[in-house]
Amino acid sequence: MENFAEQLNANLGGWNNAMGLRFSIVTTEEVVGEVTLGPQHTQPYGIVHGGVHCGVIEAACSTGAAIVALARNQSVVGLENATSFIAAARGGKMIVKATPVTRGRRTQVWQAVVSDEAGKTLATGRVRLMCLDTGSDLAGKPAGV
Amino acid sequence: MENFAEQLNANLGGWNNAMGLRFSIVTTEEVVGEVTLGPQHTQPYGIVHGGVHCGVIEAACSTGAAIVALARNQSVVGLENATSFIAAARGGKMIVKATPVTRGRRTQVWQAVVSDEAGKTLATGRVRLMCLDTGSDLAGKPAGV
Amino acid sequence: MENFAEQLNANLGGWNNAMGLRFSIVTTEEVVGEVTLGPQHTQPYGIVHGGVHCGVIEAACSTGAAIVALARNQSVVGLENATSFIAAARGGKMIVKATPVTRGRRTQVWQAVVSDEAGKTLATGRVRLMCLDTGSDLAGKPAGV
Amino acid sequence: MENFAEQLNANLGGWNNAMGLRFSIVTTEEVVGEVTLGPQHTQPYGIVHGGVHCGVIEAACSTGAAIVALARNQSVVGLENATSFIAAARGGKMIVKATPVTRGRRTQVWQAVVSDEAGKTLATGRVRLMCLDTGSDLAGKPAGV
């Protein structure tokens, strides 16, 4: 199975860079990424902002779905993100791991777990994405990479 | 009703700054904020990353809940974020507006709508937060501001 | 605007009947329904089961979406249901009211509020649905009414 | 580990009975239940109503959480249910299996998968519950079994 991690790290896009996300595994079966947490990731109480948890879950799930879609000449667009916050983090590394629930031709669902270096779960979420055939319209431009 | 927006803008915390969020209204009844979108907010297809939508919804809802909690000598911690993506955005300004669904003494639920400058809905979400009495433990330190 | 409530009440389908749901308003802009609560709706602690709240939200949102779809020669299938429980109920009537967030040609999102007779919010939720052109396959049979 | 399934089947409560749910395993680590599907579970298109999927997920997750709570002299109340519909079903048996994500003393999160007899996933969801110490007030009566 091809691992697209290096290719993707070379072209992460703005928000994935802003989050400090680096992928180590990106296949059609699994996506694993990592963020080294710093003060830029916190909310005013000093713990990691919920938006960071939602964001890395969104990133990992949609990257996996996009890789699946690519082989079908499709692209994907996120529909829903439902994230549960399990434990607060104040620093260290956070690892996100996403796996598919369904990789349908109309929609995909991926689930992801965010954990700390010791393997403690920090957050868990699911992302639903719609698959678009290349050439479909998305926000005024053709959908697709 | 006191508007805490200026106070909060002066001390946004790391991730709210990273998102480029500025509040204009922060009361116990409503929170309104704004983000000027740039290339740093996008995902690889060039549209705004779903994590930005989830993040500003998280920020607006928890800020409102925190203001409610403050007056009760409580703090809040996010439990769940459920965000629906409605329309893709490629730039301009995004406005987030949060209002309370319930401001209970054990948990709060706030809902938020993200729209563009023309008022078109881009995303909508709900955040559930737990209220903690000051002195409660959170990730190894007392909870609270 | 045509009100389909009577037509639908005459042909509610099994689970809508099991819930005791009766519609009063079913248009492309709004769906309102009602359930008279009894011991059959409770969980072991004696309060209304969360599945009833999710179920009436699902019913109201997908009925609205189905009415919108009908005029386009489409049908709809539910993708996601995210429900927040706000207050426990032990009896009386529960009213569910759904309104559209987006009525796109590929997906729709409707939101619903469940309240008691005094107007107190008991639950709130959002349902995302995919629009299928008539003739599409769904669970081994053509999709559609 | 004690299996509470028989005890619970003897006292399921109204809505669990209405759904036709029977538990085979109820421990603090896992809950497994089963529903034999019939016309009463369908929506107007003839497939199983989304409210049934949400309902059995709610039931399995909160039953597991309640068993955990019992040993601590706590009860639980549902806060949030986020369910993704994966495949439509028209009949046969549906099996729901729930496992814990976190069993905290303030809140619990359980996740559940609904599958058909062949093991195909039909739906997946997460339920967040708040733990209440016995004697806490819930809808005008003390919380608790």
Side-chain angles (χ1 to χ4, degrees), chain A residues 15-16 19 50-63 65 76-83 107-110 125-132 138-139, chain B residues 19 37 41-43 45 47-58 81-89 94 96 112-116 120-127, chain C residues 79-80 82 100-111 126-130, chain D residues 84:
Chain A
W15 199 243
N16 289 340
M19 292 193 289
V52 176
H53 293 293
C54 297
V56 297
I57 287 170
E58 182 72 21
C61 291
S62 24
T63 297
V76 289
V77 58
L79 296 179
E80 302 275 333
N81 179 315
T83 295
T107 74
Q108 295 187 47
V109 177
W110 284 64
R126 277 196 317 277
V127 177
R128 185 133 209 162
L129 306 107
M130 184 169 49
C131 305
L132 297 172
L138 180 64
Chain B
M19 292 193 289
L37 296 168
H41 294 106
T42 58
Q43 36 89 297
Y45 295 174
I47 60 172
V48 173
H49 196 289
V52 176
H53 294 294
C54 296
V56 297
I57 287 170
E58 182 73 20
N81 178 316
T83 294
S84 298
F85 308 116
I86 306 300
M94 114 187 330
V96 58
V113 175
V114 180
S115 50
D116 68 10
K120 186 169 83 166
T121 297
L122 303 176
T124 184
R126 278 195 316 277
V127 177
Chain C
L79 296 178
E80 302 274 334
V101 177
T102 182
R103 290 168 289 186
R105 68 193 158 87
R106 292 191 283 225
T107 74
Q108 295 187 48
V109 177
W110 285 64
Q111 58 194 357
R126 278 195 316 278
V127 177
R128 184 133 209 162
L129 306 107
M130 185 169 48
Chain D
S84 297

Side-chain angles (χ1 to χ4, degrees), chain A residues 82-86 101-102 107 109 111 121 124-126 128, chain D residues 82-86 101-102 107 109 111 121 124-126 128:
Chain A
T83 295
S84 298
F85 308 116
I86 306 300
V101 177
T102 182
T107 74
V109 177
Q111 59 194 357
T121 297
T124 184
R126 277 196 317 277
R128 185 133 209 162
Chain D
T83 294
S84 297
F85 308 116
I86 306 299
V101 177
T102 183
T107 73
V109 177
Q111 60 194 357
T121 297
T124 184
R126 280 195 315 278
R128 184 134 209 162

